[in-house]
Amino acid sequence: MPLTVFFSADGLDRNELLPLSPLAPTMEEDPLVLFLSGDDDPEKVEEKKSKELRSLWRKAIHQQILLLRMEKENQKLEASRDELQSRKVKLDYEEVGACQREVLITWDKKLLNCRAKIRCDMEDIHASLKEGVPKSRRGEIWQFLALQYRLRHRLPNKQQPPDTSYKELLKQLTAQQHAILVDLGRTFPTHPYFSVQLGAGQLSLFNLLKAYSLLDKEVGYCQGISFVAGVLLLHMSEEQAFEMLKFLMYDLGFRKQYRPDMMSLQIQMYQLSRLLHDYHRDLYNHLEENEISPSLYAAPWFLTLFASQFPLGFVARVFDIIFLQGTEVIFKVALSLLSSQETLIMECESFENIVEFLKSTLPDMNTSEMEKIITQVFEMDISKQLHAYEVEYHVLQDELQESSYACEDSEPVEKLERANSQLKRQNMDLLEKLQVAHSKIQALESNLENLLTRETKMKSLIRNLEQEKMAYQKIVEQIRKLVPADALASCESLLRDLNCNPSNKTKMGNKS
């Protein structure tokens, strides 16, 4: 009888699969029993055998399909475990402000509205955000806040980014590739997700920065964006991070500060200086007397949204508020940081001491200090002042330009302006180099600690070896006492020969 071919639902030829039933057939199912049962009709026996064989094959194929399904489920489970492990590595930072269970339940309800694209009460969102954000849901909450903003504010068509998908952008080549590659190792160098050279974190970061540089031709890639992109990647997938980076840059307007002319950054530095002048006059005067302008210490804060120097838990909370309130949050955080340490800054009496304090000591805050800063930021309102200072800046620039036209000899003024702009660019370059040098110093200090640890281990090993040597010497002395003098003399002469002629050792080894 020809062998019947069975096909499963997925189209696989089951002739190639052996029956894998763990159960032995019963007396009624066993064809051999049926054959020997004494039935004299060969046709009936053959028919029963055929039915039983088909039944056994069906069971075997069914079991094989179950095994294949189980294997697929196991693969899904492994992928899920890998994803959970990756999330655990990504979220390896200490939260600022404990998030209570009731707050988590509130956010879960709000996230349901996010999927339905329903407007929520902004005061209620503000209150919930002030209570805290669970870091496991932070990426979803940022997307929810972005959606709420877009439901209320329509970006003009001229200001909208090109409608090109993330996958399409990844297929293209960017002229910024070298600059991006250089900065990969400098972005969160101590975080486990980004620390591995060309690991999963660095590859995702490269993809994200490359895609944005191709999307935004005017900005391209600028140092500082890598830290912003890195924070986003720690809380969501690449494509989600790309959408949120577009939201920050275009909808909230952060891309202005990354433009090649850096005009927006200059305005921001002026605004921060005016805030200090109006709210903390003594501190402002102290910094001015020591010739410390905001661009010396605050430019990296603004360009990286505090991510390059401050603890990640603090940075994440700053991002929470940025997604709710926009660009003015950076000014609030900067002002709160400076005012909280005003007494200690005033105690620094030289340019170098103040800069060192602002660069190194100020970011090294404890959890309670960070929570206090975040609370102040939520309570602060400086939007009117910022707008007034921006208008003031433009008026001053216009007056300066008019006075330069009024001068009989305008050429020297133009030269001074060009020299001034060059000095500002050089200042920014020096700041970037200073950051790189700081990260190198940290790496060298880490290497030094490793070397000192190895030195301690080597010293311990040497002591152990010296003790062993002394023990062996005692054993040799005891052996010398036990061995006859003539045998000892012949042994010593043999050792001398071996030491004088190293080739003899090889010969002795070959003989043996």
Side-chain angles (χ1 to χ4, degrees):
M1 165 186 156
L3 186 62
T4 307
V5 178
F6 294 95
F7 290 90
S8 70
D10 54 7
L12 295 174
D13 186 351
R14 298 306 176 190
N15 280 329
E16 299 175 2
L17 303 175
L18 295 174
L20 296 174
S21 174
L23 302 174
T26 61
M27 290 292 289
E28 291 78 7
E29 294 171 332
D30 192 344
L32 184 60
V33 174
L34 291 168
F35 183 74
L36 299 174
S37 61
D39 196 335
D40 294 332
D41 191 345
E43 290 183 4
K44 289 182 178 180
V45 172
E46 188 68 26
E47 187 179 348
K48 287 181 180 179
K49 277 178 66 177
S50 176
K51 286 181 180 177
E52 293 302 324
L53 282 171
R54 279 198 293 270
S55 176
L56 285 172
W57 269 105
R58 285 194 192 98
K59 286 184 179 180
I61 291 167
H62 180 66
Q63 288 177 356
Q64 190 68 21
I65 291 169
L66 286 176
L67 285 172
L68 290 170
R69 285 179 181 170
M70 285 174 65
E71 190 174 345
K72 286 180 182 177
E73 290 300 319
N74 279 333
Q75 288 174 354
K76 288 180 183 177
L77 185 62
E78 286 296 322
S80 177
R81 284 176 183 166
D82 291 342
E83 187 180 349
L84 285 171
Q85 183 62 28
S86 175
R87 285 195 68 185
K88 186 178 178 182
V89 172
K90 282 183 174 185
L91 300 176
D92 183 19
Y93 63 82
E94 188 177 348
E95 284 191 281
V96 175
C99 189
Q100 302 298 327
R101 182 174 174 80
E102 295 79 14
V103 179
L104 182 58
I105 294 168
T106 305
W107 279 119
D108 284 338
K109 291 177 182 177
K110 284 183 172 58
L111 291 175
L112 289 174
N113 292 335
C114 177
R115 297 182 187 97
K117 295 186 178 181
I118 298 172
R119 277 195 185 194
C120 295
D121 181 59
M122 291 309 296
E123 289 185 9
D124 182 42
I125 293 173
H126 185 277
S128 299
L129 204 70
K130 193 174 179 180
E131 289 296 318
V133 171
K135 66 179 177 181
S136 60
R137 310 298 297 275
R138 182 162 265 134
E140 295 175 72
I141 290 168
W142 289 351
Q143 291 173 73
F144 162 76
L145 294 172
L147 174 66
Q148 291 299 314
Y149 181 90
R150 282 172 170 166
L151 288 172
R152 290 166 171 79
H153 305 88
R154 173 68 180 172
L155 195 66
N157 290 332
K158 291 181 180 179
Q159 297 177 19
Q160 286 186 1
D163 187 18
T164 313
S165 70
Y166 182 66
K167 290 179 180 177
E168 285 299 317
L169 290 168
L170 289 183
K171 294 175 184 176
Q172 302 175 30
L173 296 173
T174 176
Q176 310 287 332
Q177 179 170 311
H178 178 70
I180 294 171
L181 284 170
V182 168
D183 284 343
L184 288 181
R186 301 173 183 170
T187 307
F188 300 117
T190 58
H191 193 282
Y193 185 62
F194 294 109
S195 60
V196 180
Q197 188 174 10
L198 297 182
Q202 288 195 7
L203 289 174
S204 292
L205 183 59
F206 175 80
N207 289 340
L208 182 53
L209 296 173
K210 169 190 169 181
Y212 186 79
S213 71
L214 290 164
L215 180 83
D216 190 350
K217 300 290 185 182
E218 184 185 6
V219 170
Y221 171 72
C222 176
Q223 279 188 329
I225 298 178
S226 60
F227 282 94
V228 179
V231 173
L232 295 174
L233 280 173
L234 292 177
H235 297 90
M236 57 190 79
S237 67
E238 277 184 42
E239 289 195 49
Q240 291 170 337
F242 180 66
E243 289 302 316
M244 289 301 98
L245 185 59
K246 284 200 297 184
F247 172 77
L248 289 172
M249 292 294 194
Y250 284 90
D251 293 77
L252 296 185
F254 278 98
R255 67 183 295 272
K256 293 177 186 175
Q257 67 184 27
Y258 298 105
R259 284 174 178 166
D261 60 4
M262 289 198 166
M263 179 60 70
S264 179
L265 187 65
Q266 290 178 35
I267 296 171
Q268 288 171 333
M269 295 300 101
Y270 177 80
Q271 288 170 308
L272 180 60
S273 179
R274 290 289 283 110
L275 284 169
L276 284 172
H277 178 273
D278 289 356
Y279 290 96
H280 304 281
R281 183 67 61 86
D282 291 340
L283 179 58
Y284 171 83
N285 290 334
H286 182 64
L287 294 173
E288 284 293 309
E289 285 167 9
N290 287 277
E291 298 181 348
I292 295 175
S293 64
S295 58
L296 272 174
Y297 57 88
W301 296 356
F302 280 67
L303 290 172
T304 67
L305 309 189
F306 299 93
S308 63
Q309 293 174 315
F310 290 81
L312 259 175
F314 177 75
V315 174
R317 284 297 279 150
V318 172
F319 270 65
D320 293 342
I321 316 171
I322 285 173
F323 274 97
L324 180 69
Q325 298 179 0
T327 53
E328 70 180 68
V329 174
I330 321 174
F331 295 96
K332 293 180 183 181
V333 175
L335 196 63
S336 296
L337 286 168
L338 293 167
S339 63
S340 67
Q341 301 295 327
E342 181 174 354
T343 306
L344 294 175
I345 296 170
M346 296 288 286
E347 289 175 2
C348 300
E349 297 179 351
S350 67
F351 174 89
E352 292 79 8
N353 289 342
I354 296 172
V355 171
E356 179 60 26
F357 181 89
L358 294 172
K359 296 272 186 190
S360 304
T361 310
L362 181 63
D364 188 21
M365 299 180 288
N366 58 43
T367 306
S368 62
E369 288 174 328
M370 289 188 277
E371 288 177 0
K372 186 178 177 182
I373 296 292
I374 296 299
T375 303
Q376 287 178 354
V377 170
F378 272 109
E379 294 171 353
M380 199 183 297
D381 183 12
I382 53 171
S383 55
K384 290 181 182 178
Q385 290 88 329
L386 289 174
H387 180 69
Y389 298 150
E390 185 175 356
V391 172
E392 184 179 287
Y393 176 86
H394 288 298
V395 169
L396 288 171
Q397 289 296 110
D398 290 341
E399 287 178 358
L400 183 65
Q401 195 170 10
E402 286 174 8
S403 63
S404 66
Y405 287 144
C407 291
E408 293 179 358
D409 188 7
S410 62
E411 190 176 352
V413 177
E414 290 174 3
K415 284 183 179 179
L416 285 171
E417 286 179 352
R418 284 197 296 270
N420 188 30
S421 63
Q422 277 184 332
L423 286 169
K424 285 179 179 177
R425 287 198 192 99
Q426 288 174 4
N427 189 19
M428 293 300 298
D429 291 338
L430 287 170
L431 281 171
E432 291 170 0
K433 288 177 182 177
L434 190 62
Q435 280 187 300
V436 173
H438 187 62
S439 63
K440 285 181 179 178
I441 288 169
Q442 287 180 329
L444 288 170
E445 286 175 350
S446 177
N447 289 336
L448 181 61
E449 287 180 8
N450 292 334
L451 287 171
L452 289 171
T453 306
R454 286 178 62 187
E455 183 186 11
T456 306
K457 289 181 180 178
M458 292 297 290
K459 284 180 178 178
S460 175
L461 182 61
I462 289 168
R463 282 196 297 270
N464 293 336
L465 289 171
E466 285 176 348
Q467 289 173 0
E468 287 182 15
K469 180 183 174 183
M470 290 174 63
Y472 286 136
Q473 284 176 344
K474 288 179 182 178
I475 293 169
V476 170
E477 287 174 4
Q478 290 175 0
I479 291 171
R480 282 178 183 276
K481 292 176 183 177
L482 297 172
V483 176
D486 53 345
L488 190 62
S490 62
C491 286
E492 288 177 350
S493 63
L494 180 61
L495 287 170
R496 280 195 297 274
D497 291 341
L498 288 171
N499 290 329
C500 293
N501 300 312
S503 59
N504 291 342
K505 294 181 182 180
T506 310
K507 292 176 182 177
M508 293 286 289
N510 292 335
K511 286 179 182 180
S512 60

